[in-house]
Amino acid sequence: QVRCPQVILLHGFPDTPHTWKEMAQALSAQGYRVVAPFLRGYEASSSMAGDLTIPSLADDVAAVLAQLVPVGDYPVHIVGHDWGAVIAAECAARFPQHLASISILSVPHTLMVWLFSRPYQLVRSWYFLFFQLPWLPEWWLARHGGVAFLFQSWSPGLSQKEDVLAAARVCFSNPSVLAAAVGFYRQNIFLNRYLVGRLLLVLLSPVLIAAVLLVCVVRGRRAAGWRLAPRLQVPVLGLAGTEDGCIGSEVFDAAMSANPELFPKGFQVHKLEGAGHWMHLEKPKEVLERLLPHLKLGSAAKRSEQALARASAGQRSRF
């Protein structure tokens, strides 16, 4: 059995667990056991991945947790980037009893709501719709520099990380992996007809942009129809890069801060100056400076919670 706190690192798109190498080494040096699995469909031996919906992806993490949680007094944390952040939030909503904290990088918990309040973010999210097309996204990613384009446009400061880009190219040279990676968008974004229908309308007509914004003002972002995100029952850390070309740091900050009731165990948001989408590669020291205190506080809170539960169970057993 492992006698230390544990961290699950979840990667995003278009990358692999290779992007966590430096962060995993740093966390290990601080006394954490680190697990960095491939997301479903990203394995080199992958065939058709099947169900790629967020609940199913969270079930994969639950299977990893089942191997870690029996250790008992040694808390488990999840750190997720991009799609990994979305999956981490799903885990915190569904089985918080097994987690001490989550940290979400680059993608905020309530992004789907805030796409409508920032028209320029809709433009940044063009690929949401592009990836709904058949075969063309796979062709672009595999043969026409799509992966390199996304790395460069989402993280302009990442040019010196050639090993990361090389690992991504090798990963996406597998047609099954490529189909699964794009499938994340087809199965999760397209299922949300509320989002996709309005994205299409907004992008087709500038007049409708004003209409959507008017609806936002009239109904308010807190109206019941806009509540698309569940409560996260663990402490949450959010990190955003000011140079992120995928999701603006101001959108990240606003999305997290506008709904504090979604974070009953507390949350923090930090912007990292000069960092892009892959902040853990561009600014690893700055990420660790925010991440380590969060992990320690989460571990301490979880141990206190477990101690209280044991004490309560002991008192009941006496009666």
Side-chain angles (χ1 to χ4, degrees), residues 14-37:
D15 57 36
T16 69
H18 184 81
T19 58
W20 289 117
K21 182 179 179 181
E22 189 172 352
M23 192 63 56
Q25 292 172 341
L27 289 170
S28 295
Q30 293 292 325
Y32 291 90
R33 180 198 185 190
V34 178
V35 180

Side-chain angles (χ1 to χ4, degrees), residues 226-274:
W226 296 86
R227 292 184 184 274
L228 305 180
R231 293 175 184 269
L232 306 186
Q233 300 291 341
V234 299
V236 177
L237 172 67
L239 297 179
T242 60
E243 302 302 317
D244 191 333
C246 177
I247 297 174
S249 60
E250 64 284 355
V251 173
F252 188 105
D253 189 14
M256 296 285 288
S257 302
N259 299 101
E261 69 277 9
L262 296 180
F263 310 99
K265 299 292 185 179
F267 75 100
Q268 304 174 57
V269 175
H270 297 282
K271 295 182 183 181
L272 300 187
E273 292 294 330

Side-chain angles (χ1 to χ4, degrees), residues 183-295:
F184 275 53
Y185 293 90
R186 289 174 180 154
Q187 293 193 31
N188 290 292
I189 302 299
F190 207 82
L191 282 174
N192 191 339
R193 295 178 183 177
Y194 180 89
L195 169 66
V196 174
R198 283 155 181 76
L199 271 173
L200 286 168
L201 291 173
V202 168
L203 293 176
L204 286 174
S205 173
V207 174
L208 287 172
I209 292 179
V212 170
L213 292 176
L214 180 61
V215 169
C216 286
V217 172
V218 172
R219 294 186 60 191
R221 293 196 277 284
R222 295 175 181 271
W226 296 86
R227 292 184 184 274
L228 305 180
R231 293 175 184 269
L232 306 186
Q233 300 291 341
V234 299
V236 177
L237 172 67
L239 297 179
T242 60
E243 302 302 317
D244 191 333
C246 177
I247 297 174
S249 60
E250 64 284 355
V251 173
F252 188 105
D253 189 14
M256 296 285 288
S257 302
N259 299 101
E261 69 277 9
L262 296 180
F263 310 99
K265 299 292 185 179
F267 75 100
Q268 304 174 57
V269 175
H270 297 282
K271 295 182 183 181
L272 300 187
E273 292 294 330
H277 193 63
W278 283 273
M279 65 187 72
H280 52 298
L281 290 171
E282 298 174 72
K283 305 280 186 179
K285 291 182 179 179
E286 288 86 342
V287 171
L288 277 171
E289 286 175 358
R290 278 78 173 179
L291 181 60
L292 288 175
H294 178 67
L295 297 180

